[in-house]
Amino acid sequence: MLRTDQINIRDPFVLVHQGVYYLYGTRGETCWGPADGFDVYAGRDLASWEGPAVCFQNDGSFWADRNYWAPEVHPWRGAFYMFASFKSETRRRGTAILRASSPLGPFVPWSEGAVTPADWECLDGTFYVSPEGRPYMVFCHEWVQAGDGEILALPLAEDLKSAAGEPFLLFRASDAPWSREIRHSSGRTGYVTDGPFLWRRDDGALLCLWSGFSEKGYAQGLAISDNRNIDGHFTQLKPLFLEDGGHGMIFRALDGRLYLALHSPNTHLLERPRFTPVQLDP
């Protein structure tokens, strides 16, 4: 068994299924270079975990060989779908969809390559289903290409194999008063968007968690839709976590409480999952 503070992952994602917590994330050691898979940890108390168990492994036939980022696992129509970002020397970074019959995997490629636009640098796709039952991927158009990082929504086919329309903009990083420019190693400056995640509050309001950089470092932002749906106008709210932590998501624990999961600190090989009880009041 491992304690939470012994697990080096970025971008933690928790799936609660049949009384078990399943924890996924970006492997800390291979985050920034060559990579070949994802792991899953299983537990019942958010403090100790079995694993890691490999839930996706590139057998040599997969299209991407680096930057395996931000795996999320969502149930949909009797199966489990992993949304994760990948890159290769010949293909731009994008989010692909994998499928399994169990949260433990093994996940196998489901979409034909990345579902995000092939000529964009994209990352951190997440799953959203509208009140009418229509599936979407919400993702980031990366700041290294867009300059001012964007968060967009993309309609998906019912089987989640491909896009079913064109992406549309939800908001840009600079829309948040707390967002600050950073400088890339190439010398370029811009505003970052990372890790969108949608959560419907008990009163029906639709919230979008996302991350960028504040004056104090990596931060966890929050926005709200004015029409309770993905096609509304999103207003930026007070950040949830302003200093050295982000790429968060919300989940309801087995005791009914809501938790924010994010990684902190935002330092290579020191990243750890962090679970904080939250209240998302009107």
Side-chain angles (χ1 to χ4, degrees):
M1 300 288 283
L2 291 174
R3 300 189 313 270
T4 301
D5 63 8
Q6 294 176 304
I7 299 175
N8 173 216
I9 58 171
R10 299 175 64 86
D11 320 323
F13 183 89
V14 177
L15 170 68
V16 185
H17 180 68
Q18 295 183 346
V20 179
Y21 300 111
Y22 295 94
L23 172 64
Y24 309 86
T26 303
R27 291 173 176 170
E29 187 175 0
T30 60
C31 174
W32 304 115
D36 61 5
F38 292 117
D39 302 318
V40 58
Y41 303 80
R44 295 181 181 273
D45 59 8
L46 299 178
S48 57
W49 303 87
E50 295 180 358
V54 176
C55 61
F56 169 63
Q57 181 68 41
N58 181 0
D59 62 3
S61 63
F62 191 60
W63 62 271
D65 60 2
R66 65 197 69 179
N67 295 169
Y68 284 36
W69 291 354
E72 297 190 3
V73 173
H74 300 268
W76 175 251
R77 298 189 174 177
F80 296 89
Y81 293 85
M82 176 180 284
F83 289 60
S85 300
F86 305 93
K87 187 176 177 66
S88 76
E89 185 176 353
T90 58
R91 296 200 196 184
R92 295 187 183 275
R93 188 179 350 269
T95 294
I97 301 175
L98 299 86
R99 184 180 185 272
S101 60
S102 163
L104 294 173
F107 287 87
V108 297
W110 183 246
S111 62
E112 185 65 37
V115 179
T116 47
D119 57 343
W120 287 11
E121 291 285 347
C122 301
L123 72 165
D124 296 349
T126 189
F127 189 46
Y128 170 74
V129 180
S130 74
E132 300 77 30
R134 186 173 188 184
Y136 291 84
M137 176 189 290
V138 176
F139 69 96
C140 297
H141 186 189
E142 198 173 11
W143 74 279
V144 294
Q145 183 182 51
D148 192 354
E150 299 173 335
I151 291 182
L152 305 101
L154 178 68
L156 295 177
E158 289 292 317
D159 62 4
L160 307 190
K161 274 183 170 286
S162 59
E166 296 300 317
F168 57 90
L169 182 69
L170 305 190
F171 56 87
R172 295 181 173 88
S174 65
D175 291 347
W178 54 266
S179 182
R180 298 293 181 268
E181 283 187 311
I182 68 167
R183 181 178 295 275
H184 190 261
S185 57
S186 66
R188 182 172 186 176
T189 59
Y191 293 87
V192 171
T193 49
D194 275 352
F197 178 81
L198 284 298
W199 181 263
R200 191 166 299 281
R201 206 166 55 189
D202 289 343
D203 65 353
L206 181 64
L207 304 175
C208 181
L209 283 72
W210 66 284
S211 290
F213 281 84
S214 72
E215 292 179 347
K216 296 183 177 182
Y218 200 47
Q220 181 62 63
L222 184 67
I224 186 169
S225 170
D226 66 351
N227 73 349
R228 303 189 176 196
N229 209 341
I230 198 72
D231 57 358
H233 173 75
F234 280 82
T235 299
Q236 301 299 319
L237 304 177
K238 181 180 178 181
L240 294 176
F241 196 91
L242 201 55
E243 184 174 358
D244 202 23
H247 200 115
M249 56 85 64
I250 300 289
F251 66 96
R252 190 173 296 279
L254 296 174
D255 63 5
R257 291 192 295 175
L258 293 183
Y259 280 81
L260 168 67
L262 49 71
H263 73 253
S264 179
N266 189 43
T267 303
H268 184 45
L269 299 183
L270 298 181
E271 307 97 333
R272 297 293 186 272
R274 177 168 175 170
F275 307 122
T276 304
V278 292
Q279 286 184 296
L280 300 176
D281 298 325

